[in-house]
Amino acid sequence: IAKLQVMSNFILGLDVGTSSVKAVLLDRRCRAIAASQSLPTVSDLADDSGIKAKEQDTGRIIDTLDRCIGLLPRDKLQHVCCIGLTGQMHGVLFWKPKSGCVWSNSDSLTAKDTSQLITWQDGRCSNDFLTSLPRPDSHLSIATGFGCATIFWYMKHKPKFLEDFTVAGTIQDYVVSMLCGLDGCVMTPQNAASWGFFNTSSNQWNENILKGAGFPLHLLPKCVPSGSLAGKTCSQWHGIPAGTPVGAALGDFQCSVYSCMSERTDAVLNISTSAQLTYAMPADFKPPDSPQPASSISYFPYFESTYLAVAASLNGGNVLASFVEMLTSWMRELATNKQPWGFPKPDITHITPTAESSKFDGSNKVSLGSECDYALLRLVSKFE
């Protein structure tokens, strides 16, 4: 046993995103990245229903995840000691626990008996529909794209759809359940708070409120602390041994902050699809008892029962992307027009927009780009 522990030198971190899947192997002896892979999921589904649905093909996402793991060096995967996962917190996926996936003879994972992934961008829950729902016992408001709101929508518009499934969770919760062979779904407060109807002070679902509204309580995941283990792998996976510990899935936003915040006094500016400025609240902080719609600050559960204060804006990395696209268009136009005064045409063949993390001083940091690549390296080390 001691020999196996010495040989198990690598930690695997996975980010199951809405546009790509990322995997990193960390050598825990020197805290260096041993290998990494990223693949686009190309899983968006066209919406012809007119209900502003935003869904993705679950099978394609899991296939991309499986291929991504298969591209990592197998000799290192054989010595993985633990696995951590993160992903987008608001979406919902339904599945059947006993047949939610298939393990092939080549130790690969294939999705089966699941719904499509309804993402955080889903817009089927109108304002009128949301106002018709019971008021949650939570400091966070309910919104379209939240897991519980989507389930309420299916209750009203497609009740038979829900009869086909007995378990629900986020896409990253689903992966954890399949890897561990769980009968149900375990979910951390980081994801549960983003589903709605979850009280972060008591770490409990609003079961009485939901029961009174006829909500299918069996679809609510079991809540476990952020940073805890969900179980162990039930099968070998591309060389990763069966019995490898797997952490309960975490929120991608919290992971992005964790990767940047070296001190609790740090403030972190994260620019990805949107932009968030955040800092950690004192350990004894408690959020308000009810939503504060007039406030520009929200409080999200972090680790060890603490909270992050967050000021968010939707115009983040998408604005930077538009700016880069505009510059590229200008350069292309300049390159095709005749240049005055004999100046050479600008060379646009090697334009590569980049963004890097920068540290201003001991108390302020800015992080741009993919929020979870490095975060998992630190997070999964908690499971050693």
Side-chain angles (χ1 to χ4, degrees), residues 127-149:
N127 288 332
D128 288 342
F129 177 80
L130 292 172
T131 55
S132 71
L133 301 181
R135 178 176 296 181
D137 175 20
S138 172
H139 73 282
L140 296 171
S141 301
I142 192 78
T144 186
F146 283 31
C148 285

Side-chain angles (χ1 to χ4, degrees), residues 50 65 67 70 79 109 130 133 144 149 159 170 182 189 198-199 214 229 254 268 285 288 309 311 316 333 356 380:
L65 172 65
R67 289 188 291 113
H79 300 298
L109 181 64
L130 292 172
L133 301 181
T144 186
T170 66
L182 303 180
F198 183 81
N199 188 295
L229 292 176
Q254 288 86 345
V268 177
F285 170 81
E333 185 175 347
E356 298 180 354
V380 294

Side-chain angles (χ1 to χ4, degrees), residues 7 18 78 120 139 176 185 209 226 231 236 273 284 308 332 340:
M7 293 176 62
T18 48
Q78 292 172 349
W120 65 277
H139 73 282
V176 168
C185 174
I209 295 174
S226 300
Q236 179 174 280
T273 304
D284 59 351
L308 294 173
R332 186 178 297 111

